[in-house]
Amino acid sequence: MFDSVAIKFGEPVWYDHPYLHPLLQIEVERDFYGFSATRNRLQELLTDGTTDPIIIYGERRSGKTSLLKLLDEQLANDPARRYISILIPWEGIQSRYELAKTILQQAHHRISKYAPNACASTTDHEIAAATNAGFVAALREMARCVPGKMFALCIDEFDSIIERSPSDGKKRILSLADSLVTARGLPVKLLMTITHTPTLSEAETSPMLAHAHQLRLHPFTSEELEEMVHGIMGSEAQKLVPRDKQNLYQLSGGWPYFAKLLLLYMSELDPGPQWLDHALDQAVSHWGTEQTLNNIYERHLNDDEKAFMLLLAQYEGRIDAETFAALDEPLRDAACALMTRDFVTHHPDGSYGFRIGFLNEWFNNWGRYEQEVERCLSPTLERLHERKLPPTSSHARNGN
């Protein structure tokens, strides 16, 4: 067994080096791993001398918040002091006004902490936040207090902020972000995390979205995942046999969230030949993962994507090339979209499967599985039966 505290499952992590714990005053091992390519690209964009915004796209539980917190930590401790970082969490912000006021308050707080002798702002933040012009003017005034510096405005889950706001306020939130990008000479570099582009007509003409560098978080490489596993497990990692390492990567698809979920249950079990298998049996019922995957299914997949995921589960996680070719075009298009989002992978033999092997286990244990198969897949399964391409797995349900 190993210490589960080091796993930090479901928690943001943002230290890529050992650090002094602020409360315990002891040195703690690093907790952030992976995303090397994305981090290198971010550093390039932060030194390009422009104010072009940066959008980091990633699925739920992909590590967006951790990456943004890591960036905030690094900028705050950058010896060159090029940026004053302002981190805005999405929780609690449900309107354009709340977002604008929070940004101004946090910017003032960071300036006061960074340069306590800097000029004091005479602007009333609550009044300034009421209009885009007042908001931009207040930021200009604060920027004059720290000449030569640029604000790195890091907004987490920007699309969630929009979705949680009243319908008549959604476009005003996007307009606030646009005002930062279009303000000439304003030393603000906007960075934000997003799960998907806001579904607003205004998004099609948004200067912020048009000028942004778009980065997508992809799963860890096998080397990155192994580094994380060894960092978490310490010497206990030596008890992992090659099959365990291979299966852990296959089940997690390289995503740290699913790997940590499995490690959480492995930490409670004695190592043995079926160490990972026993952990998987328990992990499929984890209440937090149930909520996460229900949320992804309901809010982040369209009907065709839902149907293709359910179809993969019917075929034990893998559809051969002949069966895939027999599918209607919308389902084939959904498979391509899910590949881009790293839920699905295309194998060299032409078959398609879950990139995250855990999803096959989860769907086949999901309480709503049969109901959703009936709702989303009945016509497709009937056609596949007629073409003698039915699911053959003992787990396949709703067979006709």
Side-chain angles (χ1 to χ4, degrees):
M1 296 185 182
F2 55 94
D3 186 3
S4 63
V5 174
I7 299 172
K8 298 187 177 178
F9 174 67
E11 301 176 29
V13 291
W14 61 91
Y15 288 102
D16 61 352
H17 56 275
Y19 64 98
L20 184 67
H21 194 285
L23 297 178
L24 302 178
Q25 291 299 299
I26 59 174
E27 187 172 273
V28 182
E29 292 298 318
R30 65 184 286 198
D31 53 26
F32 187 98
Y33 298 87
F35 299 133
S36 300
T38 302
R39 291 168 61 189
N40 290 338
R41 181 58 178 149
L42 275 171
Q43 289 305 315
E44 292 174 1
L45 294 174
L46 286 167
T47 56
D48 66 2
T50 75
T51 56
D52 291 345
I54 301 170
I55 297 178
I56 302 168
Y57 283 86
E59 300 300 324
R60 294 283 296 147
R61 297 296 188 179
S62 62
K64 301 186 301 296
T65 299
S66 290
L67 183 59
L68 207 61
K69 283 179 171 285
L70 173 73
L71 185 63
D72 176 62
E73 174 74 13
Q74 290 178 333
L75 292 178
N77 293 282
D78 179 11
R81 299 284 187 177
R82 294 165 297 180
Y83 285 94
I84 297 177
S85 181
I86 305 163
L87 180 62
I88 307 295
W90 65 274
E91 296 96 334
I93 297 177
Q94 300 184 42
S95 71
R96 177 222 160 274
Y97 177 73
E98 289 176 347
L99 178 59
K101 186 172 72 170
T102 301
I103 291 172
L104 293 179
Q105 290 173 340
Q106 290 299 316
H108 184 263
H109 173 73
R110 283 294 175 102
I111 288 176
S112 300
K113 188 175 181 179
Y114 173 83
N117 297 322
C119 58
S121 172
T122 58
T123 302
D124 185 315
H125 295 157
E126 294 192 0
I127 295 176
T131 64
N132 288 352
F135 171 70
V136 170
L139 283 175
R140 284 192 193 280
E141 180 184 346
M142 284 188 272
R144 284 194 289 267
C145 297
V146 282
K149 307 299 179 186
M150 184 177 290
F151 292 125
L153 179 54
C154 307
I155 304 177
D156 195 20
E157 299 280 4
F158 182 69
D159 54 327
S160 294
I161 294 174
I162 289 178
E163 289 171 0
R164 287 162 57 92
S165 69
S167 57
D168 60 349
K170 297 180 187 299
K171 64 182 180 181
R172 288 199 284 270
I173 293 176
L174 185 59
S175 174
L176 182 72
D178 287 337
S179 71
L180 292 172
V181 175
T182 56
R184 182 173 298 179
L186 183 67
V188 174
K189 185 87 165 181
L190 183 61
L191 302 97
M192 57 177 60
T193 67
I194 281 181
T195 301
H196 55 77
T197 302
T199 53
L200 297 171
S201 58
E202 289 78 9
E204 298 177 4
T205 57
S206 164
M208 186 272 292
L209 294 173
H211 290 91
H213 296 279
Q214 299 185 9
L215 308 180
R216 176 167 282 278
L217 287 187
H218 293 290
F220 286 10
T221 64
S222 57
E223 293 78 14
E224 288 175 331
L225 190 72
E226 186 168 350
E227 182 184 26
M228 184 192 81
V229 170
H230 277 258
I232 289 172
M233 296 182 66
S235 61
E236 289 291 292
Q238 299 174 8
K239 298 177 182 177
L240 290 172
V241 299
R243 175 181 172 274
D244 288 332
K245 295 179 182 180
Q246 181 180 357
N247 287 347
L248 185 59
Y249 190 79
Q250 187 274 326
L251 286 167
S252 68
W255 287 116
Y257 175 83
F258 294 100
K260 286 185 173 185
L261 171 65
L262 293 165
L263 289 174
L264 184 67
Y265 285 95
M266 290 175 70
S267 72
E268 300 173 352
L269 301 169
D270 293 323
Q274 295 182 305
W275 196 9
L276 183 56
D277 295 333
H278 291 318
L280 175 61
D281 289 341
Q282 298 179 45
V284 292
S285 300
H286 186 272
W287 68 271
T289 299
E290 178 83 8
Q291 289 184 327
T292 293
L293 293 180
N294 267 301
N295 177 269
I296 290 173
Y297 184 86
E298 290 295 341
R299 300 186 60 185
H300 298 283
L301 300 177
N302 64 34
D303 285 345
D304 290 322
E305 290 166 342
K306 291 175 183 177
F308 190 78
M309 297 274 265
L310 292 165
L311 189 63
L312 279 179
Q314 285 275 298
Y315 283 79
E316 272 301 287
R318 193 153 177 164
I319 296 174
D320 63 34
E322 182 183 6
T323 303
F324 183 80
L327 299 178
D328 291 340
E329 185 176 356
L331 282 183
R332 297 198 304 271
D333 290 343
C336 294
L338 290 168
M339 283 174 57
T340 300
R341 298 171 62 183
D342 295 299
F343 285 115
V344 167
T345 189
H346 186 202
H347 298 284
D349 64 0
S351 64
Y352 289 77
F354 281 120
R355 180 186 176 98
I356 306 165
F358 179 87
L359 292 179
N360 183 58
E361 305 298 326
W362 183 81
F363 271 114
N364 278 291
N365 286 274
W366 186 32
R368 291 173 49 201
Y369 180 70
E370 293 183 14
Q371 173 188 343
E372 287 298 298
V373 167
E374 176 69 29
R375 185 180 71 84
C376 300
L377 273 185
S378 289
T380 297
L381 290 175
E382 288 174 4
R383 287 195 297 271
L384 291 174
H385 273 270
E386 291 170 0
R387 299 188 62 166
K388 302 189 186 309
L389 296 169
T392 57
S393 163
S394 61
H395 288 170
R397 308 176 192 182
N398 256 26
N400 296 308

